[in-house]
């Protein structure tokens, strides 16, 4: 009886962990670039410095993705910002516009700006 219960518990854990792992699809920065150009570039700029063509007229400046402050943020922090926006700022949430996968894609593209940062 104990073996049966133990085997059942192990099978449930294996099934659930594989199901959870299957739900995550890594972001693709190439797809993310297309999304970024369409939804982010006007404020955050071509290289993610927060210097897009609309940035100068914004009361709250856009995030500079090349800054150490942005780079130190976790993926979860950035995803929450992408999904829900920033209160009292022009950064509106994209939850109703982008799928979960598209948010992961744009996040991975934003992470590429760290590579272009000049030390």
């Amino acid at each position: 009886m104990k073996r049966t219960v133990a085997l059942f518990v192990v099978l449930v854990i294996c099934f659930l962990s594989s199901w959870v792992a299957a739900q995550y699809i890594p972001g693709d920065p190439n797809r993310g670039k297309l999304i970024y150009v369409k939804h982010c570039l006007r404020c955050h700029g071509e290289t993610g410095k927060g210097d897009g063509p609309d940035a100068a007229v914004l009361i709250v400046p856009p995030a500079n993705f090349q800054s150490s402050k942005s780079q130190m943020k976790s993926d979860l922090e950035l995803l929450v910002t992408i999904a829900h926006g920033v209160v009292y700022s022009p950064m509106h949430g994209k939850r109703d516009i982008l799928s979960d996968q598209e948010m992961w894609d744009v996040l991975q593209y934003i992470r590429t700006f760290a590579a272009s940062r000049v030390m």
Side-chain angles (χ1 to χ4, degrees), residues 45-99:
E46 272 189 54
T47 60
K49 287 185 178 181
D51 59 354
D54 293 350
V57 298
L58 299 175
I59 294 171
V60 178
N64 174 353
F65 297 127
Q66 291 190 26
S67 73
S68 56
K69 181 181 176 183
S70 288
Q71 292 176 32
M72 288 189 316
K73 290 186 177 185
S74 69
D75 286 353
L76 179 60
E77 288 176 287
L78 292 174
L79 285 170
V80 167
T81 301
I82 293 167
H84 301 289
V86 177
V87 178
Y88 303 119
S89 84
M91 175 58 199
H92 302 288
K94 305 297 184 200
R95 188 79 194 111
D96 296 336
I97 298 169
L98 302 177
S99 69

Side-chain angles (χ1 to χ4, degrees), residues 7-71:
L7 180 60
F8 177 74
V9 170
V10 169
L11 289 173
V12 168
I13 290 171
C14 289
F15 173 75
L16 290 177
S17 64
S18 64
W19 178 79
V20 170
Q23 301 309 304
Y24 172 72
I25 301 171
D28 180 339
N30 295 318
R31 289 189 312 246
K33 181 177 182 177
L34 299 174
I35 298 162
Y36 181 90
V37 167
K38 183 175 180 181
H39 296 283
C40 314
L41 184 136
R42 295 215 42 91
C43 296
H44 294 284
E46 272 189 54
T47 60
K49 287 185 178 181
D51 59 354
D54 293 350
V57 298
L58 299 175
I59 294 171
V60 178
N64 174 353
F65 297 127
Q66 291 190 26
S67 73
S68 56
K69 181 181 176 183
S70 288
Q71 292 176 32

Side-chain angles (χ1 to χ4, degrees), residues 32 35-36 40 82 98 102-110:
I35 298 162
Y36 181 90
C40 314
I82 293 167
L98 302 177
E102 289 170 322
M103 288 189 279
W104 275 107
D105 293 341
V106 77
L107 170 66
Q108 291 307 313
Y109 180 68
I110 288 168

